[in-house]
Amino acid sequence: MINILFFAQLKELFGQASVELNIETPCTVAQIKQSLIHNHSAWAEQLNKPTIMCAVNQDMVADDHIVNANDEVAFFPPVTGG
Amino acid sequence: MINILFFAQLKELFGQASVELNIETPCTVAQIKQSLIHNHSAWAEQLNKPTIMCAVNQDMVADDHIVNANDEVAFFPPVTGG
Amino acid sequence: MNTAQPSISIKVQTDDFDVASEYAAMRTNNTQDGAIVFFSGLVREMNQGQGVTGLFLEHYPAMTEKSLHGIVEQACERWPLSKVRLIHRVGQLHVSDQIVFVAVSSAHREAAFDACHFIMDFLKKRAPFWKKETTTIGDRWVEALEKDKMALDKWNINDK
Amino acid sequence: MNTAQPSISIKVQTDDFDVASEYAAMRTNNTQDGAIVFFSGLVREMNQGQGVTGLFLEHYPAMTEKSLHGIVEQACERWPLSKVRLIHRVGQLHVSDQIVFVAVSSAHREAAFDACHFIMDFLKKRAPFWKKETTTIGDRWVEALEKDKMALDKWNINDK
């Protein structure tokens, strides 16, 4: 089980701030996206955007990053602070 | 007659903040320097420095700038404010 | 280069901040620095939406400070800085409110200007904040701008 | 570009200045600007001479404000600025004293950073101020630095 967090537009569009995902670890960020889309086809448009960002354990990572059990995974749109 | 002002090191080394120069106008800044050196040979080292700056009527100018009667001419070392 | 550890203060808060006391803190016990540069970001009336009346700032609490510390540490490795103070607000803001503050001090002005600019450029592209504008015709999420992404190019860092 | 005339304040004074009130003036009646950048220059203990105890700032009074206005106007032509505030002190200063302050505001941060940096670079090379340091081993005039001359190169201005 991995806990996945969503922020900003993703949180609003998905109607939830987090979801528990049952996936075998270690796996890649790309595999997590595929699994989420498999479970929630309505999320495909957002999660397939090339601009979508991912952080694992609060560090920005790329799609090929390896995720382990108990890692904190977050997806969010490009940041707009400052 | 042209009134010439000196600042910073020049004022200290020349022992005066200004001098009246009797020179035919219009003339160039370079001619003013030569005339000053003619009258005060001890000033040659300072006035011949390539870094020495000149302002005419409070605008920075080059050696070929034309000076007219009643212009205010100032010589000074490179500025160091800020 | 500055051999002493730089003094770093980073805060993420809902409260407003006082630039005067931040500036005073930059000057306290500081006889070695000749230059302080600071940036302050404010809520504009006309941003991507016209007629902005307010701004809500969401963030990713567990990640925000970690991310800001990483950016500031990169700046401290690159330039000889003595002090860095950074504040970013979250929550509901209004037009003209202060959003963000970055101050850096250094012996020389080039380092201070570059480091402050660098921190803001990276904060804009890497720190997990999201702005939602309240406008006279409704709410909308602010879009990330291509120019903010390109702003990183000047720092020659291999950053996706 | 900003079509309204920018608001410009330039002061040359012996008195100290208050950054908090300058900053407040930048924010007053200002709902269009998203970015304020300011630079503050301080007297360092170690400059060209070691053990600096004070600094005397001489200037050319008739020329100083004219020169500063010219530099600020160049910046206003080049970037869309709403407000510029500049203060330069003259006379006797001491270690840690404030020497100079430049604040600019703009809709966007790139313009604010660049314009503030530009004004300081040109002030250093074009405004008629001269510093004399008082050190533990006597007084000395500060030498102009080659790096300050080179700092102008980045602005691509044909300036002798």
Side-chain angles (χ1 to χ4, degrees):
Chain A
M1 286 291 249
I2 297 180
N3 190 35
I4 320 255
L5 307 176
F6 305 118
F7 291 96
Q9 293 94 314
L10 294 200
K11 183 172 68 179
E12 281 190 358
L13 292 166
F14 297 175
Q16 52 199 291
S18 68
V19 69
E20 295 278 323
L21 181 69
N22 202 342
I23 191 171
E24 207 171 309
T25 52
C27 63
T28 66
V29 167
Q31 287 170 328
I32 289 176
K33 281 186 188 175
Q34 285 158 18
S35 181
L36 286 169
I37 291 167
H38 181 263
N39 298 351
H40 310 265
S41 58
W43 297 1
E45 188 191 335
Q46 292 299 318
L47 291 175
N48 282 331
K49 282 188 180 171
T51 55
I52 217 76
M53 299 176 99
C54 179
V56 172
N57 298 334
Q58 302 91 42
D59 283 321
M60 301 276 202
V61 297
D63 267 6
D64 59 358
H65 184 85
I66 302 294
V67 176
N68 293 299
N70 302 316
D71 281 352
E72 179 174 290
V73 177
F75 290 103
F76 43 80
V79 300
T80 56
Chain B
M1 285 294 245
I2 295 180
N3 191 35
I4 319 255
L5 308 176
F6 304 118
F7 291 94
Q9 293 96 314
L10 293 199
K11 182 171 72 179
E12 281 191 358
L13 292 165
F14 298 174
Q16 51 201 292
S18 68
V19 69
E20 295 279 323
L21 180 70
N22 203 341
I23 191 171
E24 207 172 307
T25 51
C27 63
T28 65
V29 167
Q31 287 168 328
I32 290 176
K33 280 187 189 173
Q34 284 157 18
S35 180
L36 286 170
I37 290 168
H38 180 263
N39 297 352
H40 309 266
S41 57
W43 297 1
E45 187 190 337
Q46 291 300 318
L47 290 175
N48 283 330
K49 280 188 181 171
T51 53
I52 216 76
M53 299 176 102
C54 180
V56 173
N57 298 334
Q58 303 91 44
D59 282 322
M60 300 278 201
V61 299
D63 268 4
D64 58 359
H65 184 84
I66 302 294
V67 177
N68 294 299
N70 302 315
D71 280 354
E72 179 175 293
V73 177
F75 290 103
F76 41 81
V79 302
T80 55
Chain C
M1 296 294 282
N2 196 24
T3 46
Q5 275 301 99
S7 149
I8 295 171
S9 160
I10 293 175
K11 293 181 204 153
V12 178
Q13 61 189 46
T14 51
D15 290 344
D16 196 11
F17 49 82
D18 176 33
V19 164
S21 53
E22 293 304 313
Y23 180 67
M26 295 298 289
R27 288 184 67 194
T28 302
N29 294 326
N30 191 346
T31 59
Q32 77 273 35
D33 284 337
I36 298 174
V37 172
F38 90 42
F39 174 89
S40 159
L42 310 172
V43 180
R44 300 170 61 210
E45 203 164 38
M46 278 189 281
N47 194 20
Q48 291 178 0
Q50 302 282 310
V52 172
T53 54
L55 192 68
F56 184 82
L57 260 153
E58 181 174 333
H59 73 133
Y60 176 1
M63 180 174 173
T64 315
E65 292 203 21
K66 183 177 179 181
S67 158
L68 296 174
H69 268 284
I71 293 166
V72 169
E73 277 157 24
Q74 267 191 285
C76 290
E77 281 166 23
R78 190 154 170 170
W79 291 281
L81 309 179
S82 303
K83 297 196 185 193
V84 181
R85 297 183 74 82
L86 190 164
I87 302 172
H88 203 300
R89 291 177 71 190
V90 292
Q92 186 61 51
L93 304 179
H94 304 280
V95 171
S96 295
D97 277 357
Q98 302 182 123
I99 306 171
V100 58
F101 173 86
V102 179
V104 308
S105 71
S106 177
H108 301 290
R109 78 180 183 289
E110 290 286 335
F113 270 114
D114 287 348
C116 190
H117 200 162
F118 172 96
I119 290 169
M120 276 307 303
D121 280 355
F122 277 80
L123 184 156
K124 279 258 177 192
K125 284 307 293 178
R126 307 295 285 170
F129 296 100
W130 300 273
K131 285 179 183 152
K132 190 175 197 176
E133 288 179 348
T134 314
T135 77
T136 45
I137 55 161
D139 292 357
R140 63 188 295 277
W141 289 99
V142 170
E143 292 293 323
L145 298 177
E146 189 60 23
K147 70 171 182 179
D148 285 324
K149 198 170 169 185
M150 291 187 306
L152 300 195
D153 293 346
K154 66 167 113 39
W155 306 112
N156 295 318
I157 283 187
N158 188 355
D159 193 84
K160 76 183 166 91
Chain D
M1 295 293 281
N2 197 24
T3 47
Q5 275 301 100
S7 151
I8 295 173
S9 160
I10 293 177
K11 294 182 203 152
V12 178
Q13 62 188 46
T14 51
D15 290 344
D16 196 11
F17 50 82
D18 176 33
V19 163
S21 53
E22 293 302 314
Y23 180 66
M26 297 296 290
R27 289 183 67 193
T28 302
N29 293 325
N30 192 345
T31 58
Q32 77 272 36
D33 285 338
I36 298 175
V37 172
F38 89 44
F39 174 87
S40 161
L42 310 173
V43 180
R44 300 168 60 209
E45 204 163 38
M46 280 190 279
N47 193 20
Q48 292 178 1
Q50 301 284 310
V52 171
T53 54
L55 192 68
F56 184 81
L57 259 154
E58 181 174 334
H59 74 131
Y60 176 2
M63 180 174 172
T64 315
E65 292 202 23
K66 184 177 178 180
S67 157
L68 296 174
H69 268 285
I71 293 166
V72 168
E73 278 157 24
Q74 268 192 285
C76 290
E77 281 166 25
R78 191 156 170 168
W79 291 280
L81 309 179
S82 304
K83 298 197 184 191
V84 181
R85 297 184 74 83
L86 190 164
I87 303 172
H88 204 299
R89 291 177 71 189
V90 292
Q92 186 62 51
L93 304 180
H94 303 280
V95 170
S96 294
D97 277 358
Q98 302 182 123
I99 306 171
V100 58
F101 174 85
V102 179
V104 308
S105 71
S106 178
H108 300 290
R109 77 180 185 288
E110 290 286 334
F113 271 113
D114 287 349
C116 190
H117 200 163
F118 172 95
I119 290 169
M120 276 308 303
D121 280 356
F122 277 81
L123 185 156
K124 279 259 177 191
K125 284 309 291 177
R126 308 295 286 168
F129 296 100
W130 300 273
K131 285 178 183 155
K132 190 176 197 175
E133 287 179 349
T134 313
T135 76
T136 45
I137 55 162
D139 291 357
R140 63 188 296 276
W141 289 99
V142 170
E143 295 290 324
L145 298 178
E146 189 60 25
K147 72 171 180 177
D148 285 324
K149 200 169 169 187
M150 292 188 304
L152 300 196
D153 294 346
K154 67 168 112 38
W155 306 111
N156 295 318
I157 282 188
N158 189 355
D159 192 84
K160 77 181 168 93

